[in-house]
C-alpha cells in the first residue's frame, strides 16, 4: 500500500520536492501527492468538458496504484490510459498511480450512501489513509474535494477549483505568504534538505537559495492551482524565466491562458563563502528583475508579472528594497512584493515585535 501522504504544503511534501529538484534540475517530478492532485484535476476537467453528469454515485480517486483485495460483492476492472479522459469516471472508486495514467476501478452501487463509500475505502479496502479526491457530479455544479490525509480524516478536506477562473496576483501572493511562514522564514521551519543558509550566524547565504525557494513555490502553487501547469526555468531568447502559471482549456489543450510570470530574486549581504554583496549589487539585481519580468510577460503574452524578492540581508527593511525601482515597475506594470528570510527565530521575533 502507498504510505500515508500529506498536504502539498506539508513538511514532507516540500522536503520531497527539494530532494528531487536539487542537483537534477528543475524539471524533476513534484511530490507524488501533488502530482496526484494535479493529474486528477486535469482528468476531471476533461470529463466536465465532455458533459459527464451522474445522478447515482460520485467518483473517488485514491493514490493507491495496487489492485485492492475486494469483497465478493464488488467487481473491478483494470483501465489503461485513464488520463485521456475518454472513459466515464463516476460511479467508481479508482485506485490510481500518481499520474492517473492507469487505474483499477471498483464499481459502486447506486444504492450506496456516501457514508458507505467512505466505509468501503477505510474499513473494507484498508485504503483510508492515502490522499483522496472525491468528484461529485450530482450537485448543481460539479464539485471536487481533496482529502490530503485520506478519507479516514473525513473532516480534513478542501474544495478544489476545477472550472477555469481568473488567477490574480493577490491569489498568488496569498500562497507565497503561507509558504513563507510555513517553510521559509526562519531556519527552524526550513527542512534539512533545503538549507537556505551556508552559515546563518554570519548571514552567509547558500548558493542554492534561489533554486530551493523556486522548488518550494512550484510545489505550493501546484497544490493551490492544480488545474494549472506551474512551469519553471523556461528558456527563451531574452533569458530563462523563473516561474509561469498557465492553464490549458479542457476543451482544447492548444488553447492556453498564461496567467502570471514570477521573477524571483534573493537579496544578500554575504555570499556563501562570506564575500560581501554591496547595496549597489542588490539594487542592480532588483532593477534587472523588473525588466526581466516585463520582458518575459510581453514575449509570452502572459496577463500579469511580478518581481518577488526574498530578502536575506542582515537588516529587515521590508518593501524599501524596491525604492530604486518603483517608478520603473509602475511604468512597466510589474507588481513588487518582498518576503524577509531571517537567519534565526530570535531575529524573526524581534522584527515582529518591532
Amino acid at each position: 500500500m502507498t504510505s500515508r501522504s500529506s498536504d502539498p504544503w506539508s513538511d514532507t511534501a516540500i522536503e520531497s520536492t527539494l530532494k528531487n529538484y536539487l542537483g537534477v534540475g528543475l524539471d524533476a517530478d513534484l511530490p507524488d501527492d501533488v502530482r496526484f492532485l494535479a493529474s486528477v484535476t486535469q482528468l476531471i476537467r476533461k470529463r466536465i468538458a465532455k458533459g459527464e453528469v451522474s445522478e447515482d454515485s460520485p467518483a473517488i480517486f485514491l493514490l493507491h496504484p495496487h489492485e485492492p483485495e475486494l469483497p465478493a460483492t464488488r467487481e473491478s476492472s483494470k483501465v489503461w490510459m485513464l488520463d485521456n479522459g475518454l472513459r466515464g469516471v463516476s460511479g467508481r472508486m479508482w485506485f490510481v498511480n500518481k499520474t492517473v495514467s492507469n487505474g483499477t476501478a471498483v464499481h459502486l452501487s447506486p444504492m450506496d450512501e456516501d457514508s458507505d463509500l467512505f466505509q468501503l475505502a477505510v474499513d473494507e479496502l484498508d485504503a483510508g489513509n492515502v490522499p483522496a479526491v472525491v468528484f461529485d457530479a450530482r450537485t448543481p455544479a460539479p464539485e471536487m474535494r481533496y482529502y490530503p490525509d485520506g478519507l479516514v480524516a473525513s473532516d480534513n478536506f478542501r474544495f478544489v477549483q476545477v472550472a477555469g477562473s481568473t488567477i490574480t496576483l493577490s491569489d498568488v501572493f496569498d500562497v507565497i505568504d503561507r509558504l513563507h511562514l510555513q517553510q521559509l522564514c526562519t531556519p527552524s521551519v526550513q527542512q534539512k534538505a533545503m538549507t537556505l543558509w551556508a552559515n546563518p550566524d554570519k548571514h552567509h547565504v547558500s548558493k542554492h537559495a534561489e533554486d530551493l525557494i523556486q522548488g518550494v513555490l512550484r510545489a505550493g502553487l501546484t497544490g493551490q492551482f492544480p488545474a494549472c501547469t506551474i512551469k519553471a526555468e523556461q528558456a527563451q531568447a531574452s533569458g530563462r524565466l523563473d516561474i509561469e502559471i498557465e492553464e490549458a482549456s479542457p476543451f482544447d489543450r492548444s488553447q492556453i491562458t498564461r496567467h502570471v510570470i514570477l521573477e524571483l530574486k534573493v537579496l544578500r549581504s554575504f555570499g556563501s563563502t562570506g564575500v560581501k554583496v554591496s547595496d549597489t549589487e542588490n539594487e542592480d539585481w532588483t532593477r534587472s528583475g523588473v525588466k526581466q519580468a516585463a520582458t518575459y510577460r510581453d514575449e509570452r503574452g502572459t496577463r500579469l508579472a511580478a518581481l518577488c524578492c526574498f530578502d536575506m540581508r542582515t537588516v529587515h527593511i521590508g518593501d524599501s528594497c524596491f525604492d530604486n525601482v518603483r517608478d520603473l515597475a509602475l511604468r512597466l506594470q510589474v507588481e513588487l512584493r518582498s518576503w524577509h528570510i531571517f537567519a534565526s527565530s530570535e531575529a524573526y521575533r524581534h522584527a515582529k515585535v518591532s
Side-chain angles (χ1 to χ4, degrees), residues 35-50 52 61 78-89 94-104 249-250 253:
R35 295 189 70 191
F36 163 72
L37 174 58
S39 298
V40 172
T41 303
Q42 298 295 345
L43 171 59
I44 294 305
R45 283 165 59 84
K46 293 176 183 178
R47 294 308 309 160
I48 291 175
K50 291 183 176 297
E52 173 149 339
F61 296 85
K78 185 71 176 180
V79 177
W80 285 266
M81 296 194 300
L82 175 63
D83 56 320
N84 64 18
L86 298 180
R87 176 183 290 266
V89 296
W94 294 93
F95 287 70
V96 297
N97 56 10
K98 59 190 175 185
T99 60
V100 195
S101 54
N102 303 313
T104 298
S249 167
R253 298 291 293 177

Side-chain angles (χ1 to χ4, degrees), residues 107-305:
H107 299 270
L108 306 177
S109 167
M111 302 301 293
D112 287 328
E113 298 288 342
D114 289 350
S115 58
D116 296 332
L117 304 181
F118 278 69
Q119 184 177 8
L120 172 64
V122 174
D123 297 330
E124 296 186 50
L125 302 180
D126 192 26
N129 65 344
V130 297
V133 169
V134 176
F135 167 61
D136 198 344
R138 299 170 298 176
T139 52
E143 67 178 33
M144 184 170 137
R145 303 183 186 208
Y146 175 54
Y147 296 80
D149 295 322
L151 297 181
V152 69
S154 59
D155 292 335
N156 180 25
F157 72 90
R158 64 182 176 90
F159 288 102
V160 176
Q161 178 71 39
V162 291
S165 60
T166 300
I167 296 175
T168 68
L169 283 172
S170 178
D171 297 330
V172 173
F173 293 153
D174 285 345
V175 177
I176 301 177
D177 285 343
R178 179 165 53 244
L179 294 170
H180 171 257
L181 183 63
Q182 295 177 351
Q183 303 291 340
L184 297 173
C185 64
T186 66
S188 64
V189 299
Q190 296 164 17
Q191 296 300 300
K192 293 179 180 179
M194 59 152 292
T195 303
L196 298 178
W197 297 98
N199 187 331
D201 294 336
K202 297 182 178 180
H203 273 84
H204 296 177
V205 178
S206 168
K207 61 182 179 180
H208 300 297
E210 284 89 352
D211 289 345
L212 293 167
I213 291 171
Q214 186 184 75
V216 170
L217 298 194
R218 185 172 178 232
L221 290 168
T222 301
Q224 181 64 31
F225 307 117
C228 297
T229 301
I230 314 300
K231 292 188 173 181
E233 293 296 309
Q234 295 184 88
Q236 51 196 52
S238 59
R240 189 180 295 272
L241 66 85
D242 288 328
I243 288 179
E244 182 180 37
I245 303 174
E246 66 177 38
E247 181 177 0
S249 167
F251 302 97
D252 182 355
R253 298 291 293 177
S254 67
Q255 300 298 312
I256 296 174
T257 300
R258 292 186 167 91
H259 290 291
V260 176
I261 290 281
L262 299 179
E263 182 64 24
L264 312 179
K265 298 295 183 187
V266 173
L267 307 181
R268 297 164 163 85
S269 291
F270 301 96
S272 61
T273 60
V275 175
K276 183 174 177 55
V277 179
S278 69
D279 291 340
T280 300
E281 289 177 277
N282 283 305
E283 289 174 359
D284 290 344
W285 204 230
T286 56
R287 187 177 299 105
S288 172
V290 170
K291 294 178 180 178
Q292 287 173 291
T295 302
Y296 299 152
R297 177 201 59 211
D298 295 345
E299 282 189 1
R300 297 186 62 78
T302 308
R303 294 174 43 243
L304 303 166

Side-chain angles (χ1 to χ4, degrees), residues 290-353:
V290 170
K291 294 178 180 178
Q292 287 173 291
T295 302
Y296 299 152
R297 177 201 59 211
D298 295 345
E299 282 189 1
R300 297 186 62 78
T302 308
R303 294 174 43 243
L304 303 166
L307 170 61
C308 299
C309 283
F310 295 86
D311 197 340
M312 300 181 69
R313 292 179 291 183
T314 56
V315 179
H316 178 214
I317 62 172
D319 285 345
S320 296
C321 64
F322 297 124
D323 285 350
N324 67 306
V325 295
R326 292 190 189 280
D327 291 342
L328 177 64
L330 182 63
R331 177 164 57 83
L332 297 180
Q333 296 182 304
V334 173
E335 191 79 15
L336 304 173
R337 184 63 67 90
S338 71
W339 293 264
H340 197 87
I341 296 178
F342 297 87
S344 67
S345 296
E346 181 181 8
Y348 172 77
R349 293 194 301 270
H350 178 75
K352 294 292 287 185
V353 171

